[in-house]
Amino acid sequence: MRNKKKQESVRAYDQIVKTVCQECFVGCGLKFFKHNGQVVDIAGDEDHPINKGSVCPRGAKIVQNYYSNGDILAQYAVVKKAFNNTGKRISWDEGIDYVADKLEEIRKEYGKDALTVLISNPNNFTNNYLGLRFAKAFGTSNAAVYEPMKPASELAKLALGGIKGALCNPPHDWINSEVIFVLGSEISSEVMLMGYLLDAKERGTKIICVDTKYSPVMAKADYPIIINPGTFNAFMLGILNIIISEGLYDNKNVKRWANGLSEIVRECLNYKQTDIAAKCGLQPETLSSLAHLLAEHNPINVIGSVRDDQVNSADSLVKLAWMSIVLLTLNDSLGLKGGGWNWLGTGSLPFTDMEDIQGGHGDQDYKHLLDEIIKKETCKALIWDGNILDENISKEFINALSKLKLVVHLSDKNDAANKYAHVSFPITNWLEEEGPVFCSHYRSIQWNNKVTEASGERKPAGLFWFKLADKMGYKKWFPWGDKNKELDVVQIADYHIKETGALACLSSLNGEDLNPGGILWPCIINEDAVFEDGALIKGRWLLYSYKDEYPGTNQCFPTVSGKVELINESGSNMGLGQLMDPEPQTASPLFAYSLVACSALSFLGNTGPAFDSKYVLGINPADAHNLDIKDGDKIVLETENKEIFEAPAWITNKIAENTVGMIDLEERSYYAGFCYRGEWREGTRVRIFKK
Amino acid sequence: MPLFISSSCLSKEESSSLIFDPEAFDPDKIIVVIDADRCIGCKACEVHCWNEHRDVREVGETSIHVMQVEKLSKDMKEAVCYYPNTCAHCEDPKCLDICPAGAITKDENGVVAVYEEKCIGCQTCSTVCPNYFYTFGRNSGRTLKCDGCFHRQEQGLWPACATKCSMKAIYFGYPDEIARILKEKKAGGDNIYIVDNTTEGRETI
């Protein structure tokens, strides 16, 4: 008998629940095996088009949250007397009564804006849609859904014409590219997308990866390029400069599809190639050969996967994203198979302005609001579902939390954030199959039209908002209760879809004729929709096509002019003329090293000697020699504003010269411990010395 | 029999002499194939392995470990290739011969199995493993050798790491199946795939 590669469990189970993983933006299909209501095993869904049965470590670890007695959260909601203290068990309804009363008190005393609502999981539809609605109804303007790189999506809207979400072509199309140009290594934390890169590579696509340190994408790239920290923009400018000054583009063709070329040309020629190469720490020839490679192949695909703490500011990120659109336009790669602009981590479900509610309007930047909690004392109550990654490093944040009158945490796992709350509600992010699940990397929406029961007292986060709104008298703005006063997810999804232009072709999810399915969006007209077995499975493949008109318009790009707007109001506002990254302001020659926001250990490899520490500081052997530092030496890192960080040294050539990498030894995924250290960006100048 | 596929870690000359020939293998014995070209070092295999054996092991005790090979290349400062290191289920396992407790056996389909309850934790097996593979429990000291997911194979399923690998970089199979998979891969592009059963030249850190 031949064995099978089947996604099956060998444990005893009586039910399989199919759902969508919400650990990252990719949106893989998962199968949970349940026995007597308890999760016993997990596997990938082999019928799902994204992961085809595989599961990455981030997805696989979910089973640890649910397995046996580890699932403490499934059991009860807790009111705590004080932080970091055991509390008493109460029911969901009691918890909601408590929160509602407290919120009323706080509003009376401090005003509406004393409440901050932070939603960290942008994939959970009911949580973020109802959370923002609740904030608006309450009247606070301090509400945000986490979007890592929001400005980039705003930019996409302006340059490419109004579609929020920034994937021109889905990953399945990447194999059609001749060159894939990956900026940064963020893509390796959305593991399943790496598979599409490898597929493309196996078919002969050349992969360029540019980053400030070594990474798995680098390991797989044909052209792995390490640049100095904080010089992404300079690098991109260098590429454009060479393409423009050497005339490596088809002027006539570009003018046919884009406006503003002459301004770009003028702008890019202001810089000197040799200066740019020196700034990036590259040989001018390297820069030149990359520019030629990019100019001489078509179609090319740019994948933006730069972390926001890798650039100097959100503005820099916008400029970088914009320059990559310029590159694609010069290459004529925006409207055809295999060509595209894929800026990962942008956008979320296209929310409407919720004009039916009279109240505040909160749609702010998540990180900005986190900073406000630490720096200002105006926030008195916080409702959130975020994660305190590292208690040591988040001391000031925890300190700020302890001063608040009310902290409510919607907890999907038993972590530190759950501990630092007055009330924590056990929610489920995975076991429910609720309304649309949005996956921005994949530009898709998936749904199942039903809510599957979660284990124990875990409930969908949307139910918390719904019940709280009901209790506080906002029922008219939350009319989606069923006869048992529970949340009817299908109804909200239906309401939301009717409000949202990008999904207009789905006249209703609330019908028996539409089976569970998913689409690549936008799916603006019915002709774009592909059905299979009563389920809508696909929408528009390429966002733009040179051959076809954009639905609802008589032009290729949905902008006013019908062309890509390389120079427009926002372009002028963001300051052409300052495309280069600003020079780091080094007050003292002592601060000669740049920090890199370093990835988790698994991305750099094992450290060799075992370190008894949570962090290590990666130092290049040449620098270590100059400073007389050896493997394992205790190192002090000091920033210009005198912040101190201590960790053992790891001498490795995977960290470039003149940089220091802060590496988290425990964190499995890519997000290292930079959380809540607002000023610690890549390129920050530091001093290192032996303790 | 360990097979190792890589176009990045070995040179072209080495590859030509190492084309996979299914005839050279016993048709009824399974082969473990590691496609290092696809491994990105994500460690999903470790999580899956632990999950499969979690009833008898502590958190983090796995039979598979992601390693890396580093070698300098001319156009880049250095090249890294990741691969999951696990028991290769050798045709003639040296660990079986040397184990003083007789805890290691080779069953009819080629799986080199360890009876963990018989293991006395002497770790002698690790001294002879050509794959530098052996791994031991932190507290028990007993071997955590890969059992080829014996309990899954009993039910007609391949081991967890091979089934659930995020990048589909691990294969278990009989020689004819492996030949088919490799052929498909080759047909896909110009990349040269190297099949190797050597462990030399691979340095792990």
Side-chain angles (χ1 to χ4, degrees):
Chain A
M1 187 184 75
R2 289 298 165 99
N3 291 334
K4 285 183 182 153
K5 208 168 176 168
K6 203 176 158 198
Q7 303 304 328
E8 195 35 87
S9 176
V10 290
R11 296 175 191 279
Y13 65 88
D14 49 32
Q15 189 193 5
I16 296 178
V17 178
K18 285 193 177 190
T19 183
V20 176
C21 179
Q22 300 195 3
E23 272 289 305
C24 78
F25 298 96
V26 180
C28 299
L30 294 182
K31 287 199 306 200
F32 280 95
F33 298 89
K34 292 174 85 176
H35 186 62
N36 293 334
Q38 281 290 316
V39 176
V40 291
D41 211 347
I42 187 174
D45 181 358
E46 57 271 67
D47 297 330
H48 201 280
I50 296 177
N51 57 324
K52 301 182 190 91
S54 299
V55 195
C56 80
R58 287 172 79 176
K61 74 170 190 214
I62 296 171
V63 77
Q64 294 179 37
N65 293 343
Y66 287 100
Y67 158 60
S68 73
N69 57 359
D71 195 4
I72 299 159
L73 289 172
Q75 296 158 24
Y76 49 82
V78 175
V79 173
K80 290 179 172 122
K81 291 170 206 149
F83 282 110
N84 210 355
N85 199 347
T86 48
K88 77 172 184 197
R89 174 186 167 147
I90 51 167
S91 70
W92 264 67
D93 286 341
E94 285 172 284
I96 281 163
D97 289 349
Y98 175 84
V99 174
D101 292 347
K102 273 274 185 191
L103 282 179
E104 281 297 348
E105 278 172 31
I106 288 164
R107 177 161 56 187
K108 270 182 203 148
E109 200 173 340
Y110 302 100
K112 295 167 180 172
D113 282 338
L115 170 68
T116 298
V117 173
L118 294 175
I119 292 155
S120 75
N121 182 351
N123 304 333
N124 186 326
F125 165 70
T126 49
N127 190 15
N128 61 43
Y129 186 54
L130 294 186
L132 285 187
R133 275 187 85 85
F134 177 83
K136 192 170 181 194
F138 186 84
T140 177
S141 42
N142 298 323
V145 175
Y146 179 65
E147 283 182 70
M149 293 157 198
K150 190 166 185 172
S153 98
E154 292 302 312
L155 183 78
K157 207 183 214 172
L158 293 161
L160 297 171
I163 297 301
K164 205 176 172 195
L167 288 154
C168 288
N169 56 341
H172 288 141
D173 186 47
W174 295 357
I175 53 168
N176 297 316
S177 307
E178 284 208 18
V179 174
I180 298 181
F181 182 24
V182 189
L183 287 159
S185 297
E186 183 75 358
I187 187 172
S188 37
S189 72
E190 270 75 52
V191 176
M192 300 312 294
L193 287 184
M194 284 294 289
Y196 291 99
L197 268 191
L198 295 178
D199 289 348
K201 194 186 168 190
E202 280 183 2
R203 283 161 182 77
T205 304
K206 296 283 174 233
I207 295 172
I208 303 172
C209 177
V210 178
D211 201 359
T212 51
K213 72 239 167 210
Y214 214 81
S215 74
V217 202
M218 288 260 178
K220 300 297 171 192
D222 300 279
Y223 302 90
I225 310 293
I226 292 186
I227 57 170
N228 286 339
T231 61
F232 275 102
N233 289 33
F235 177 85
M236 200 58 163
L237 195 56
I239 298 280
L240 292 180
N241 183 300
I242 293 164
I243 292 177
I244 288 169
S245 63
E246 296 185 18
L248 305 173
Y249 63 99
D250 183 343
N251 195 6
K252 214 171 114 196
N253 222 356
V254 177
K255 282 192 170 159
R256 192 173 155 215
W257 299 118
N259 276 338
L261 182 65
S262 47
E263 286 95 327
I264 304 289
V265 169
R266 230 179 9 249
E267 174 68 28
C268 287
L269 294 179
N270 282 340
Y271 301 91
K272 265 189 165 167
Q273 282 170 30
T274 43
D275 291 353
I276 291 174
K279 191 178 162 94
C280 299
L282 295 172
Q283 296 296 328
E285 302 81 56
T286 312
L287 205 56
S288 171
S289 64
L290 286 173
H292 277 265
L293 186 79
L294 285 163
E296 287 157 12
H297 288 84
N298 175 275
I300 61 169
N301 184 351
V302 176
I303 298 177
S305 64
V306 178
R307 274 163 54 154
D308 37 8
D309 57 1
Q310 286 190 281
V311 287
N312 291 303
S313 64
D315 255 8
S316 295
L317 198 69
V318 172
K319 286 175 192 170
L320 182 63
W322 172 77
M323 282 192 279
S324 63
I325 294 176
V326 174
L327 172 67
L328 288 161
T329 313
L330 291 176
N331 188 282
D332 201 12
S333 279
L334 270 176
L336 67 170
K337 247 174 127 179
W341 185 68
N342 289 278
W343 209 265
L344 306 187
T346 54
S348 68
L349 271 171
F351 289 125
T352 59
D353 289 336
M354 299 182 237
E355 279 163 5
D356 54 321
I357 302 178
Q358 285 97 43
H361 185 68
D363 190 12
Q364 296 201 26
D365 183 59
Y366 188 94
K367 286 195 171 172
H368 170 73
L369 288 182
L370 275 182
D371 277 352
E372 296 261 289
I373 293 172
I374 296 169
K375 288 174 187 156
K376 289 189 180 175
E377 297 202 342
T378 47
C379 174
K380 298 295 171 194
L382 171 68
I383 308 180
W384 76 317
D385 64 341
N387 181 6
I388 300 168
L389 282 176
D390 178 345
E391 289 178 72
N392 295 325
I393 222 161
S394 319
K395 268 179 202 150
E396 53 178 4
F397 182 68
I398 290 170
N399 191 26
L401 284 186
S402 71
K403 289 180 187 155
L404 302 186
K405 304 280 177 203
L406 176 69
V407 181
V408 179
H409 194 253
L410 306 177
S411 318
D412 59 23
K413 49 185 169 285
N414 199 19
D415 63 9
N418 168 37
K419 199 160 73 180
Y420 296 108
H422 295 107
V423 195
S424 71
F425 289 85
I427 61 156
T428 166
N429 267 339
W430 299 292
L431 287 181
E432 76 210 276
E433 297 182 332
E434 51 167 39
V437 175
F438 176 76
C439 307
S440 72
H441 283 358
Y442 194 66
R443 211 185 71 205
S444 72
I445 288 176
Q446 309 169 41
W447 63 84
N448 220 301
N449 286 347
K450 64 177 180 186
V451 176
T452 309
E453 264 181 47
S455 12
E457 290 192 21
R458 283 179 184 271
K459 291 182 168 62
L463 188 69
F464 166 80
W465 298 110
F466 175 73
K467 289 199 160 180
L468 187 61
D470 191 18
K471 177 79 190 164
M472 296 193 72
Y474 310 139
K475 197 176 177 186
K476 60 180 170 174
W477 294 318
F478 292 77
W480 305 291
D482 62 13
K483 55 181 185 292
N484 302 323
K485 287 197 170 181
E486 296 284 318
L487 186 67
D488 187 338
V489 175
V490 177
Q491 271 193 49
I492 316 173
D494 188 40
Y495 174 85
H496 173 70
I497 277 160
K498 281 178 185 155
E499 289 282 295
T500 311
L503 297 167
C505 91
L506 291 173
S507 55
S508 171
L509 279 176
N510 196 3
E512 285 175 11
D513 54 331
L514 197 60
N515 290 335
I519 54 168
L520 291 167
W521 69 285
C523 199
I524 296 165
I525 50 168
N526 284 327
E527 285 74 44
D528 282 339
V530 180
F531 285 86
E532 201 174 90
D533 300 331
L536 183 59
I537 55 156
K538 209 157 71 175
R540 214 173 150 76
W541 188 257
L542 298 177
L543 202 54
Y544 314 104
S545 165
Y546 291 135
K547 285 188 210 147
D548 307 318
E549 287 166 353
Y550 194 86
T553 70
N554 56 1
Q555 51 207 20
C556 176
F557 293 95
T559 52
V560 178
S561 63
K563 294 181 176 185
V564 179
E565 299 285 358
L566 293 182
I567 296 291
N568 53 28
E569 209 181 320
S570 82
S572 322
N573 290 345
M574 75 189 183
L576 282 176
Q578 299 147 25
L579 286 177
M580 191 81 108
D581 316 271
E583 288 296 330
Q585 292 172 344
T586 307
S588 150
L590 279 175
F591 294 90
Y593 295 90
S594 310
L595 191 71
V596 289
C598 223
S599 53
L601 179 67
S602 59
F603 286 79
L604 287 170
N606 304 331
T607 50
F611 290 106
D612 186 20
S613 154
K614 181 163 165 52
Y615 291 94
V616 289
L617 291 171
I619 298 167
N620 185 279
D623 294 334
H625 179 76
N626 293 339
L627 295 165
D628 193 25
I629 291 172
K630 293 193 180 53
D631 237 1
D633 282 354
K634 194 90 178 162
I635 299 299
V636 179
L637 178 149
E638 186 190 344
T639 65
E640 280 176 295
N641 54 6
K642 304 289 175 208
E643 276 187 88
I644 296 281
F645 184 82
E646 288 180 22
W650 173 38
I651 314 300
T652 173
N653 48 14
K654 288 195 210 74
I655 299 294
E657 276 184 54
N658 304 319
T659 60
V660 183
M662 190 171 143
I663 304 153
D664 189 334
L665 294 178
E666 290 171 11
E667 179 62 27
R668 262 186 184 273
S669 73
Y670 194 63
Y671 299 97
F674 266 56
C675 207
Y676 314 123
R677 270 183 190 256
E679 306 303 317
W680 286 47
R681 294 187 179 279
E682 266 198 19
T684 298
R685 290 281 156 163
V686 295
R687 183 162 87 98
I688 47 171
F689 52 90
K690 209 153 66 167
K691 195 176 177 185
Chain B
M1 181 62 58
L3 294 177
F4 191 72
I5 307 175
S6 168
S7 59
S8 56
C9 292
L10 298 175
S11 66
K12 227 171 194 179
E13 297 79 60
E14 286 174 276
S15 77
S16 52
S17 61
L18 293 164
I19 301 299
F20 179 69
D21 175 17
E23 301 290 320
F25 296 86
D26 185 338
D28 298 325
K29 297 264 159 53
I30 59 161
I31 303 176
V32 185
V33 181
I34 305 297
D35 185 348
D37 283 351
R38 283 197 77 92
C39 177
I40 58 165
C42 79
K43 303 196 178 192
C45 49
E46 296 185 12
V47 181
H48 294 310
C49 179
W50 168 80
N51 181 41
E52 209 58 47
H53 298 91
R54 63 175 189 233
D55 301 336
V56 290
R57 290 184 185 174
E58 289 174 39
V59 174
E61 292 187 344
T62 70
S63 298
I64 189 162
H65 288 281
V66 173
M67 311 291 260
Q68 18 176 317
V69 188
E70 301 194 11
K71 83 196 248 173
L72 295 171
S73 64
K74 58 180 186 296
D75 50 354
M76 181 44 210
K77 290 158 194 161
E78 78 191 48
V80 172
C81 135
Y82 304 90
Y83 75 97
N85 192 23
T86 185
C87 175
H89 300 278
C90 298
E91 205 150 283
D92 182 17
K94 291 183 180 147
C95 55
L96 187 152
D97 298 338
I98 207 165
C99 178
I104 305 174
T105 61
K106 190 169 174 70
D107 64 22
E108 75 270 9
N109 64 356
V111 171
V112 179
V114 167
Y115 295 99
E116 286 185 26
E117 66 277 10
K118 277 195 191 176
C119 174
I120 54 172
C122 69
Q123 309 194 357
T124 313
C125 44
S126 67
T127 62
V128 294
C129 179
N131 210 17
Y132 309 109
F133 163 65
Y134 271 89
T135 170
F136 302 92
R138 267 171 305 201
N139 295 326
S140 66
R142 291 200 295 200
T143 181
L144 302 174
K145 199 194 92 62
C146 164
D147 59 0
C149 278
F150 183 68
H151 57 297
R152 285 178 67 89
Q153 292 209 38
E154 269 185 332
Q155 299 197 19
L157 300 167
W158 283 126
C161 56
T163 313
K164 299 181 179 180
C165 170
S166 67
M167 291 296 116
K168 299 188 166 44
I170 308 173
Y171 298 94
F172 272 67
Y174 294 96
D176 57 332
E177 292 173 314
I178 297 298
R180 201 191 63 236
I181 292 165
L182 294 179
K183 204 173 160 192
E184 278 169 14
K185 283 178 159 296
K186 272 185 167 176
D190 299 330
N191 285 357
I192 295 167
Y193 282 88
I194 298 145
V195 177
D196 182 17
N197 63 355
T198 176
T199 53
E200 279 168 34
R202 285 195 269 149
E203 246 180 76
T204 56
I205 58 159

